[in-house]
Amino acid sequence: MLVLLEVPLLAQVQQATVTQTVPAATQPALRLDIPHSDNPLNSFRATLVPKPNLANSPRIDALVKDGVLELSLKDAISLALENNLDIAIARYNIPIAAADVLRTQAGGSFRGVNTGVVQNTPGGGVGGFGPGPSGAGAGGTSGGAGGAGSGASGLVSSTLGAGTNVASYDPAISGTFSIEHFAEPLSNTVVYGVPELQQNTTTGNIGYTQAFPTGTSISAVFDNNRGTTNSPESFLVPALNTYYHIALQQQLLAGFGLGPNLRFLRIAKNNQRISDEAFKLQVVTTVTQIANMYWDLVAAYEDEGVKSRSLEFARQTLESGRKQLALQAIPAMDVMKDEAEEASREQDLTIAKTTLQFQELLIKNALTKNLDDPNLEAMPVRPTDQSAMTDTTPQGPTEDMTARALKDRLELGESDIDLENRRLSRDAARNALLPSVALTAYYGGSGLAGLQNPASGTISTSPPDLAGSLRTAFNNSAPDYYVGVTVNVPLRNRVAKSDQYRAELETRQSELRSEQLKKQIRIEVRNAQYALEQSEARVVSARKGRDLAQKTFDITAKEQELGAGSNYQTLTARRDLAAAESTLVAAMTAYQKAKIEVDRAVGSTLEANDISIESAKTGIAPSGQ
């Protein structure tokens, strides 16, 4: 019978981050820490993660009034922090990164984390460019640093973590207990003195191994053996053997020191920092998208009102024209023109209504975890914030905005931390070029005890019991010691040389990417600033156009009332007024989106919207937000 026991002791489990199983009713948010337990058996128990809570937050019900979801921009952002699935997906990257830290604390290699921005919510656009198509990727639509995949942003990551092998820093205890009976018929009785040799052996051994970040490893064994035999040639029956052995090995060149041996842990901790920055970037991206969607909803809501008023006037005009035709005051051709105008306005209103309904669906999809409730899916949304433009928009000098962006943009922080990881890998690859030189030393001792075998005819001086065997093993009477150096020198070393050279190239490549990112941010800041100035000019022009169209309509309506104008002229003026109002709505929407883009480009989105990252991490927005 053979029983093996391996007990890894996770001494630093309290620093890990994995979610315990908690009932969904009492677990509204994803846990970001693991409670420490003094029970060593917990090291062998699975730590489970509860199923995602797919219930919408109660905030939605509080915003429903008379069957209409009344929504402000702040309400939309709060709902997004609580319910948006892009943020919910990205939220898991935080404990995943912390789990990687736990793994590397034990000497394991890092697995990497996905820090790309998730963009699976359709609508809204990101970064002020494009109409905002839905994303295509469950883990992250855009590639990110810190193990998100080779080739992201044109960078190669094949040597990230390269270097010498890292042993496990978790202590391990191994044990063996066995009982064996052995019988063997013999063809010659000279050696053992019996025709059939019978042996009974009981073994109890224990071992201990552990490595350290300095490139040091220790091991210890303690072996005990009890044997009996039927051979008269054996002096001791039973014979008790004891042996212990303590060994130490130290790497002197390749694999020496904290740098190469802690590189996995340092990279994992950097990845954890990148994951935190990436989550902030996810919140910024999603909030930017939600804000764009909100102003699209406002535009659709206001435009539907414009088209509705235009149709109402066309219907009133048509009704008046038909009455005049009945009195033969106008020709039938004028009524036909009124009918054509009314049909055109009906078409415009239908388009505006369906556009509004689609924008309502988009924003409800973005602000909920599910749309299983048919009442919610069909519920109209009424935005409570209206487009407005102040006379002056404080921006500050372009140089100040650029300086702030270079300081606050999260992408630069990610890039800098990723560059640290590449430098750690580069240094470890340089160390791996060195020959392997290991200093090994051990010390041990042996002990023997047992009862004299009467059949042997000899007198034994060995102690009779296990205590005596232990005493002779540890009293240095039978020592076993060794000191030696093991050298391994690869003559061409092409694999390590290739890895080192690639690591150098990838580091330089990442440095260039960092500079390219700074240039890109400068361009984005200037583009956002110019777009805001242009949108302000469009709003001013659209307002003047709307005011002029209003005056023209008022004049034509007065002329018609006095009998100096026709219905068609008034309808044309009213159509021009509706077009001018729609143009103003579009200009105001572009202005609001330009302001959103300025905040994103400068890196002030979180501050501008008073968003707490801690609330975003827990998925519970403050009640006042």
Side-chain angles (χ1 to χ4, degrees):
M1 180 178 66
L2 180 62
V3 180
L4 296 179
L5 177 65
E6 288 250 353
V7 187
L9 304 178
L10 302 181
Q12 296 175 320
V13 132
Q14 67 271 20
Q15 299 181 18
T17 303
V18 186
T19 306
Q20 291 278 45
T21 299
V22 180
T26 60
Q27 178 68 20
L30 179 68
R31 290 201 55 167
L32 303 180
D33 63 334
I34 179 172
H36 172 62
S37 174
D38 294 326
N39 186 352
L41 295 180
N42 282 343
S43 299
F44 312 104
R45 296 190 178 115
T47 305
L48 305 180
V49 179
K51 291 183 177 180
N53 180 6
L54 297 180
N56 295 323
S57 63
R59 190 186 299 268
I60 292 181
D61 295 333
L63 295 175
V64 176
K65 298 178 181 178
D66 298 327
V68 177
L69 179 60
E70 296 188 357
L71 199 64
S72 68
L73 178 58
K74 285 188 176 181
D75 292 332
I77 292 175
S78 297
L79 286 172
L81 296 180
E82 294 174 344
N83 297 319
N84 185 268
L85 293 181
D86 284 353
I87 294 179
I89 291 172
R91 193 175 288 127
Y92 278 91
N93 287 329
I94 300 175
I96 287 173
D100 231 18
V101 173
L102 175 65
R103 175 182 173 83
T104 55
Q105 284 172 340
S109 61
F110 61 92
R111 294 192 180 278
V113 293
N114 194 330
T115 57
V117 173
V118 185
Q119 298 174 27
N120 291 331
T121 299
V126 176
F129 304 104
S134 61
T141 307
S142 65
S150 300
S153 301
L155 302 181
V156 180
S157 305
S158 60
T159 61
L160 197 63
T164 55
N165 292 331
V166 178
S168 174
Y169 302 140
D170 280 352
I173 298 175
S174 60
T176 302
F177 176 78
S178 64
I179 299 175
E180 180 185 13
H181 172 74
F182 175 78
E184 179 184 14
L186 302 175
S187 61
N188 190 326
T189 62
V190 174
V191 177
Y192 294 102
V194 291
E196 182 184 72
L197 178 64
Q198 297 184 6
Q199 293 178 318
N200 294 311
T201 305
T202 302
T203 302
N205 301 333
I206 188 171
Y208 176 91
T209 59
Q210 186 176 5
F212 299 91
T214 54
T216 308
S217 62
I218 62 172
S219 63
V221 296
F222 181 54
D223 295 344
N224 293 277
N225 179 283
R226 181 185 185 276
T228 62
T229 180
N230 63 340
S231 172
E233 303 301 328
S234 178
F235 296 156
L236 299 176
V237 178
L240 304 174
N241 293 280
T242 298
Y243 176 75
Y244 78 93
H245 176 110
I246 300 175
L248 180 145
Q249 187 176 80
Q250 174 65 54
Q251 300 296 330
L252 300 179
L253 290 179
F256 171 79
L258 300 178
N261 291 292
L262 286 182
R263 69 185 187 278
F264 292 153
L265 175 60
R266 290 170 177 171
I267 290 175
K269 287 185 175 180
N270 283 341
N271 284 350
Q272 190 177 31
R273 292 166 55 200
I274 291 176
S275 185
D276 289 340
E277 294 296 296
F279 182 74
K280 293 179 184 178
L281 183 59
Q282 177 68 59
V283 174
V284 169
T285 301
T286 301
V287 167
T288 299
Q289 186 177 18
I290 296 301
N292 284 332
M293 294 172 66
Y294 184 84
W295 291 116
D296 284 338
L297 174 66
V298 171
Y301 183 79
E302 293 180 349
D303 192 55
E304 192 266 348
V306 169
K307 299 300 192 296
S308 180
R309 292 191 297 272
S310 179
L311 175 60
E312 180 63 25
F313 183 81
R315 285 175 175 173
Q316 292 175 359
T317 302
L318 176 59
E319 182 180 354
S320 174
R322 285 173 176 171
K323 290 180 180 179
Q324 295 181 38
L325 177 62
L327 298 174
Q328 298 183 350
I330 61 173
M333 184 64 68
D334 288 352
V335 176
M336 294 174 62
K337 291 180 180 179
D338 293 346
E339 290 175 346
E341 192 69 23
E342 190 251 3
S344 178
R345 299 290 76 78
E346 281 186 349
Q347 172 186 291
D348 292 344
L349 180 58
T350 300
I351 294 173
K353 282 185 175 180
T354 53
T355 299
L356 174 59
Q357 290 170 356
F358 185 63
Q359 290 299 328
E360 289 174 339
L361 180 61
L362 285 178
I363 201 161
K364 283 185 290 186
N365 175 70
L367 303 183
T368 58
K369 292 181 181 178
N370 71 79
L371 285 174
D372 295 338
D373 185 355
N375 294 326
L376 177 61
E377 186 176 8
M379 184 179 297
V381 182
R382 181 182 301 139
T384 59
D385 292 346
Q386 302 300 316
S387 297
M389 188 184 79
T390 57
D391 293 336
T392 57
T393 302
Q395 298 179 35
T398 302
E399 293 77 12
D400 293 346
M401 295 176 66
T402 301
R404 179 175 180 179
L406 293 176
K407 175 178 174 292
D408 295 340
R409 282 287 290 270
L410 299 168
E411 297 93 326
L412 274 179
E414 286 189 43
S415 178
D416 291 343
I417 301 172
D418 179 64
L419 185 56
E420 289 183 29
N421 283 346
R422 295 176 186 275
R423 288 170 177 164
L424 287 171
S425 300
R426 178 197 62 188
D427 294 343
R430 290 177 180 176
N431 175 265
L433 282 173
L434 300 175
S436 175
V437 179
L439 172 65
T440 304
Y442 65 77
Y443 184 88
S446 300
L448 176 65
L451 298 176
Q452 180 177 338
N453 185 359
S456 66
T458 60
I459 299 176
S460 172
T461 60
S462 299
D465 53 16
L466 178 62
S469 177
L470 294 173
R471 185 172 56 254
T472 55
F474 287 96
N475 66 5
N476 201 33
S477 60
D480 177 18
Y481 50 83
Y482 168 88
V483 176
V485 175
T486 303
V487 180
N488 181 12
V489 182
L491 297 182
R492 302 188 69 179
N493 209 21
R494 288 182 289 182
V495 172
K497 184 66 178 177
S498 172
D499 287 346
Q500 176 269 325
Y501 185 53
R502 285 178 65 101
E504 298 280 349
L505 292 172
E506 291 174 14
T507 301
R508 300 307 183 200
Q509 187 183 54
S510 184
E511 290 172 351
L512 287 177
R513 170 57 182 164
S514 181
E515 291 303 314
Q516 184 185 52
L517 190 57
K518 292 177 182 178
K519 291 176 62 180
Q520 177 182 333
I521 289 175
R522 291 178 182 273
I523 293 296
E524 288 182 5
V525 170
R526 291 182 180 271
N527 180 66
Q529 191 177 31
Y530 297 154
L532 183 59
E533 293 177 2
Q534 292 170 2
S535 65
E536 288 175 344
R538 291 192 183 101
V539 170
V540 171
S541 174
R543 278 179 176 171
K544 291 180 179 179
R546 190 274 315 273
D547 294 343
L548 179 60
Q550 182 70 55
K551 291 178 180 179
T552 302
F553 170 70
D554 292 341
I555 292 173
T556 55
K558 189 67 174 178
E559 289 177 347
Q560 180 183 354
E561 184 180 338
L562 297 174
S566 66
N567 289 352
Y568 184 72
Q569 289 177 327
T570 308
L571 277 176
T572 301
R574 187 63 184 83
R575 180 181 59 196
D576 293 342
L577 174 59
E581 289 177 337
S582 295
T583 300
L584 178 58
V585 168
M588 292 298 300
T589 303
Y591 168 75
Q592 296 293 348
K593 289 187 174 183
K595 289 176 60 179
I596 294 168
E597 174 58 15
V598 168
D599 290 337
R600 188 204 68 85
V602 175
S604 61
T605 299
L606 300 179
E607 179 183 348
N609 293 280
D610 195 24
I611 295 173
S612 166
I613 284 298
E614 294 306 315
S615 297
K617 286 182 178 179
T618 59
I620 305 175
S623 57
Q625 184 169 321

